[in-house]
Amino acid sequence: MPDQATPPAGISLAADVEFREDRRNPYRARVRWIVPGSKKRLSRSEAFLTDEEAHAWIDRLQRAANRGVTPATATMTLKEYGEEEWHLAMRGLEAKTMDPYRAGWRLRAVPTLGHLPVRTITNGLVDRAVYGWIADECSKSTVKNSLAVLVRVMEQAVRDGIIDFNPARVVGWQQEYKRAEDELDDPRSLALPGWAALDELANALIARSSGEYEGWGEVVRFAACTATRIGEVSGTRAADIDRETWIWNLCRQTTSAPGGLVDKGTKGKRRRMVPIIPEIRPLVARRLDAVGPDPMARLFTGPRGGRISTAVLRDATHWDEVVLRLGHEHLRRHDLRHTGLTWMADAGVPLHVLRKIAGHGSLSTTQRYLHPDHRSVERAGAALNAHLTAGTGPQVVPKQPPAPHLRIVR
């Protein structure tokens, strides 16, 4: 409310602490004040475990009131505070900067941290939020803009005296992003071990989703068996699939943008040809039959026909809970792509072909999938042993035949 948001500095607060023995947090701190002009009497209260915490809360609100910030504002959640102080926090920005900042605030900052009171947000919470955006395959500029708008809102909270320092000023996330962008040093370690594990995961995600939507399992199986990103799966249209050759002409992906999810070109703008293996051809055929004759019909959608993103898949299937229960606690949605590329490498797909399927710009990125697995190492050892034991043993220096004896004939 306007009369709450801009009170005169030094507004007087009446405060008290009540002890309630039967409560889990027995110390109830309360502040009351009268809004100048309207003479409306307002109050805020919160429960604490100790008397010291209760009085510290009152002191913090009094300091904020001395700066012209009412207790109503000082106790807001991040979402409420950002909306209340948006124009003040964003002052000085050019209009062209505001669109990506608004998108970052609405699509990432608020869904991740918006429900928390401003004063409870810590460096650790912001770290986890940023790493979550990276894991959801947000672009580097998207992460940067989302963090920048969060920094501005929290900086305003510092100036208002609600918090003592800005927890959104985190560092080091670019290195984490680079690791994710480079697909890590050992992507093979992130892959599912085989089809049975993939099938188990898909079925578990279906069972945990609302209405047990079969489409989530289809998305997971298709992404792993084609070694593609969730956004690329979402961008697939019926016309992109050739039933004669079972080749997928991969040319678009679904990604976040101001206003929601949109379709655009693939990462690196590289069109790719991806094989559809026999194991998932019945699945793809069912989807093609279901969407009908429209060549631009989206092949994979959510239960209401909407676009899919990695975050949508995570939330709809309770991904983190499911993978933890199945023993894949570190498995991300992007690791379905690592799974497919690892399987293709183990199947003997040539390096130059694997690179084209993956759409890698650097050959060194593709080579990370060629590290031999344990079975390959065992087979190499067995082959060497067979070679060395075929004769009498290893002969490092070949034996020279005896020199002929010379005989003089008279």
Side-chain angles (χ1 to χ4, degrees):
M1 308 287 279
D3 57 353
Q4 296 178 40
T6 55
I11 190 172
S12 178
L13 299 180
D16 63 84
V17 177
E18 177 188 1
F19 179 72
R20 299 177 294 177
E21 188 175 2
D22 58 332
R23 303 297 177 87
R24 181 178 180 181
N25 293 313
Y27 292 91
R28 177 177 175 264
R30 181 176 62 169
V31 295
R32 292 169 290 173
W33 71 100
I34 296 176
V35 178
S38 69
K39 302 301 181 183
K40 191 175 183 179
R41 190 177 182 84
L42 301 174
S43 68
R44 281 289 185 275
S45 64
E46 193 164 334
F48 298 92
L49 185 62
T50 67
D51 182 65
E52 290 78 9
E53 291 174 337
H55 279 93
W57 180 79
I58 292 173
D59 292 342
R60 184 165 57 248
L61 294 189
Q62 184 62 66
R63 289 196 301 272
N66 291 338
R67 294 180 172 92
V69 180
T70 66
T73 300
T75 56
M76 283 179 175
T77 63
L78 176 65
K79 180 178 184 295
E80 294 168 338
Y81 181 77
E83 292 172 353
E84 185 79 22
E85 306 295 341
W86 180 260
H87 294 294
L88 194 57
M90 300 298 127
R91 64 187 181 277
L93 290 178
E94 297 182 9
K96 65 180 181 180
T97 306
M98 290 304 299
D99 281 344
Y101 274 32
R102 287 192 188 96
W105 175 256
R106 182 173 60 84
L107 298 177
R108 279 161 291 280
V110 169
T112 308
L113 300 168
H115 61 290
L116 299 172
V118 172
R119 59 187 173 77
T120 66
I121 297 175
T122 63
N123 289 122
L125 287 171
V126 177
D127 280 338
R128 292 179 181 87
V130 172
Y131 293 156
W133 301 336
I134 294 171
D136 287 341
E137 301 178 41
C138 293
S139 69
K140 193 171 185 178
S141 61
T142 295
V143 174
K144 180 180 178 181
N145 289 328
S146 301
L147 186 57
V149 70
L150 182 60
V151 166
R152 277 190 162 259
V153 172
M154 298 304 286
E155 194 62 38
Q156 184 60 44
V158 172
R159 288 192 287 269
D160 282 340
I162 298 173
I163 53 179
D164 296 326
F165 67 94
N166 190 339
R169 293 190 180 278
V170 297
V171 297
W173 65 269
Q174 293 91 340
Q175 286 78 10
E176 184 68 20
Y177 187 89
K178 186 177 185 303
R179 292 184 67 220
E181 193 175 52
D182 289 344
E183 306 203 33
L184 307 179
D185 293 330
D186 185 15
R188 294 178 57 86
S189 65
L190 304 173
L192 290 168
W195 176 264
L198 174 63
D199 205 43
E200 180 186 37
L201 172 63
N203 290 331
L205 294 172
I206 293 170
R208 189 63 183 84
S209 66
S210 176
E212 298 188 1
Y213 179 55
E214 291 285 341
W216 300 128
E218 294 174 340
V219 167
V220 168
R221 291 184 177 95
F222 186 79
C225 292
T226 55
T228 50
R229 305 172 178 90
I230 298 300
E232 293 170 339
V233 176
S234 178
T236 311
R237 305 300 176 92
D240 300 336
I241 305 293
D242 186 339
R243 284 211 209 197
E244 297 295 325
T245 61
W246 289 108
I247 296 294
W248 172 20
N249 179 22
L250 201 167
C251 55
R252 70 180 67 81
Q253 65 175 331
T254 298
T255 187
S256 298
L261 296 174
V262 299
D263 289 344
K264 68 175 189 178
T266 58
K267 186 175 180 181
K269 311 300 181 185
R270 288 182 288 270
R271 183 183 292 263
R272 314 198 309 266
M273 309 298 285
V274 179
I276 299 176
I277 63 174
E279 283 77 4
I280 59 170
R281 288 176 188 173
L283 178 160
V284 176
R286 286 196 305 271
R287 294 306 311 147
L288 288 169
D289 293 340
V291 300
D294 181 4
M296 296 308 292
R298 197 177 298 276
L299 207 61
F300 298 97
T301 65
R304 297 180 183 177
R307 294 180 175 94
I308 298 169
S309 70
T310 181
V312 168
L313 176 62
R314 176 198 63 205
D315 296 340
T317 61
H318 300 268
W319 176 283
D320 295 334
E321 172 193 323
V322 171
V323 297
L324 181 63
R325 177 165 52 83
L326 295 178
H328 309 303
E329 58 181 335
H330 300 298
L331 189 76
R332 308 166 304 161
R333 276 73 61 202
H334 192 67
D335 295 336
L336 298 172
R337 172 171 163 82
H338 295 315
T339 293
L341 292 174
T342 299
W343 290 356
M344 290 181 188
D346 287 348
V349 175
L351 180 62
H352 68 284
V353 177
L354 188 62
R355 179 186 178 185
K356 288 182 179 179
I357 293 173
H360 288 151
S362 169
L363 188 63
S364 62
T365 302
T366 312
Q367 287 174 325
R368 294 189 179 107
Y369 293 91
L370 302 183
H371 296 167
D373 57 16
H374 288 297
R375 286 177 299 175
S376 300
V377 173
E378 290 170 359
R379 285 197 295 268
L384 177 60
N385 180 70
H387 172 71
L388 295 178
T389 57
T392 57
Q395 298 179 7
V396 179
V397 180
K399 292 181 179 179
Q400 297 295 330
H405 294 287
L406 297 179
R407 184 165 58 92
I408 299 174
V409 179
R410 294 183 183 273

